[in-house]
Amino acid sequence: MSSKNVRILIAKPGLDGHDRGAKYIARALKDNGYEVIYTGLRQTPESIVQTAIQEDVDFVGLSLLSGAHNELFPKVVELLKQNQAEDIIVFGGGVIPEEDIPALNQQGIKAIFTPGTPIKDVVSFIEKNRKT
Amino acid sequence: MKLIQGILQGKVRPLAKAISLVEDNLIDKEELIDQLYPHTGKAAIWGVTGPPGAGKSTLVDKLIDRERSQDHRVAVIAIDPSSPFTGGALLGDRLRMQRHSLDPQVFIRSMASRGHLGGVSWGCSDAIKILDAAGFNTIIIETIGVGQTEIEVVELADLVMLVLAPGMGDEIQAMKAGVMEIGDLFVINKKDLPGSEKLKAEIEYVLNLSSDNPEQLPPVILASAQKSEGIDELWKKLSTKYQQLVKSGYLSARRKERIKKELSRIILYKVHHLLDKKIALQDNIDNWAEQVYLKKDMPYTMVNKQINRFKKEMRLDDSKN
C-alpha cells in the first residue's frame, strides 16, 4: 500500500472573484489522479504559503485574473523561500499577458498556463517535475 | 531522526512532512511513530462525523474559535474521499476553515481516504500520534461524509460528535444500526431549517429507547454553524462530556480498546502481506480462476488445496529453522 501521492494546492490570491478556472483545474487534476487541496477565493500570499506547508504539497498552482500576478506570484515564491520550503514548485494560470511570462519564470514561477491550455500540458508538466 | 526533534519542538514543516510519511505508508514511519509514542496521550481527540453536507467543516471552523479562546493549540485532520477510479481527490474541507490559516497555533491538514472505507484513512491513527506528540491540546478528526456504516472514527477519537441536518429521514432512520450508535453528542445543524425541532425530538426519543440510564444520554444540541448559533452550548457540553469521560475512567478504557484494535489491525495487515507473498496470490490467481471457471476445480476445493499447500510449506520452513 505504500505510494507517494502527488499533492497540489490550487489557490486564488488577490481580489478577483473569477474562480471558474481554478475550479476547472482542481477538478481536472483530481480526475488525473492527483490529490488537490482547494482553498477558495481571496487568499493572501501568506495564507497560501502556510497552507502549502501544512498540507505538505508538491506543487502550488495560483490562479489570478485581476492583473496583480506580477506582484502576487513572486511574493508566494519568496515567502516559500523564507519558510525553507523552496522545494515546493509554483505554477500559475489566468489572464497573464505573454510579455509578463519571462519575468515571472525568472522569479521562480516554473510555468504559466494561459486560457485554452489543454489539461494534458499541465499534467505532463507535473509528471516531469514531480518527486518520484 | 531529524524530523522527530522538529516535531517535538512543534515546528510545522517537519510535522507536515511526517504526516506525509505515514500517509504514504513509507517504512521509515515505524521508527518515527515508535519514537514519538512516549510523548503521546495528552491531547483530547474529538471525532466529527455525519452525512455529506451536514455542515461538519463549518462546525469545526467554529469549534476552533472556541478552543483558541482558551489558548488551546488545535489540529484538524479533515478527510475527503479519493476517487476509486483515478485515485485522485478534491480536498475542500479546509475551504471553510481557511481564516485560521495564519494562526500559528492552528494546524489543518486535508487527507484523502485513499481507498480506505471506514470514513477515515489508513494514515489517520498515526497522524493523530504525530500531532499529539507535537503538543496540540485538541485534535479534531473530521471524517468524510458518511453513510450508515462508516464508523471507524470511533476507534480513533475519545469522543464522537454526530452532525445531522433536517430533511434526511424519519425516526426509523435514527433507529438503524451503525452511525447512529457512535455519537457521544448529537448536533442538529442548520437549525433554522424546517424540521430541526422534530428531528431533535425523534433522536431524543430513539436514544431514550435504547438507554436504561437517562443521566448518561448523549446530549442533542440544535445549532447553526454558519450563523454561529448554539456553538457555545455545544462547546460547553463537549467539555462537560469530556470531563465525565476522564473522571469515570471511561476514557482510559476507550483508549485501551483503541490500542487493542490498532494492534490487531496492524498485525493482520502485516500477516496478510506475508501470506500474500507466500501464497503468491497475484501470480497464480488468473490460473486458479480459470480452473474454477472451466469447472476443473470447485471453488472450495481450490481454496483448501492452496491453503494446505501453504501450511505444508510453513511446516517445512519451521523444521529448517
Side-chain angles (χ1 to χ4, degrees), chain B residues 78-91:
Chain B
I79 305 152
D80 266 329
S82 298
S83 159
F85 305 108
T86 66
L90 188 57
L91 309 171

Side-chain angles (χ1 to χ4, degrees), chain A residues 5-98:
Chain A
N5 280 40
V6 173
R7 291 167 65 84
I8 305 169
L9 176 66
I10 296 294
K12 268 193 70 61
L15 296 173
D16 74 276
H18 305 284
D19 58 358
R20 281 289 293 265
K23 281 178 174 159
Y24 169 75
I25 193 88
R27 166 101 202 251
L29 291 172
K30 178 209 90 177
D31 288 341
N32 277 277
Y34 304 114
E35 290 183 1
V36 182
I37 294 114
Y38 182 64
T39 58
L41 294 168
R42 299 186 194 96
Q43 301 291 309
T44 62
E46 287 78 7
S47 91
I48 291 170
V49 166
Q50 286 314 315
T51 302
I53 291 172
Q54 291 182 9
E55 296 285 356
D56 191 30
V57 293
D58 307 285
F59 295 87
V60 175
L62 300 170
S63 166
L64 199 138
L65 289 90
S66 71
H69 49 269
N70 286 333
E71 289 77 41
L72 296 176
F73 286 5
K75 182 84 184 159
V76 170
V77 175
E78 188 195 312
L79 286 171
L80 282 170
K81 210 173 279 169
Q82 277 176 27
N83 285 276
Q84 287 88 47
E86 59 267 41
D87 54 308
I88 299 176
I89 295 166
V90 180
F91 63 95
V95 202
I96 316 269
E98 220 39 66

Side-chain angles (χ1 to χ4, degrees), chain B residues 168-211:
Chain B
M168 290 175 169
D170 58 13
E171 88 250 37
I172 300 299
Q173 298 298 336
M175 289 164 82
K176 286 185 179 169
V179 75
M180 286 299 291
E181 293 173 293
I182 63 167
D184 297 293
L185 235 123
F186 287 75
V187 185
I188 318 274
N189 194 29
K190 312 190 186 183
K191 75 182 177 94
D192 47 326
L193 292 185
S196 55
E197 295 280 353
K198 187 163 172 260
L199 180 60
K200 179 173 193 268
E202 281 169 357
I203 289 169
E204 280 171 343
Y205 168 70
V206 172
L207 292 173
N208 258 310
L209 286 182
S210 56
S211 167

Side-chain angles (χ1 to χ4, degrees), chain A residues 62-64 69-70 73-74 90-98 100-106 108-115 117 121-122 125:
Chain A
L62 300 170
S63 166
L64 199 138
H69 49 269
N70 286 333
F73 286 5
V90 180
F91 63 95
V95 202
I96 316 269
E98 220 39 66
D100 289 351
I101 296 177
L104 289 171
N105 287 340
Q106 225 167 31
I109 293 101
K110 199 91 189 234
I112 296 284
F113 301 104
T114 47
T117 307
D121 291 4
V122 184
F125 164 77

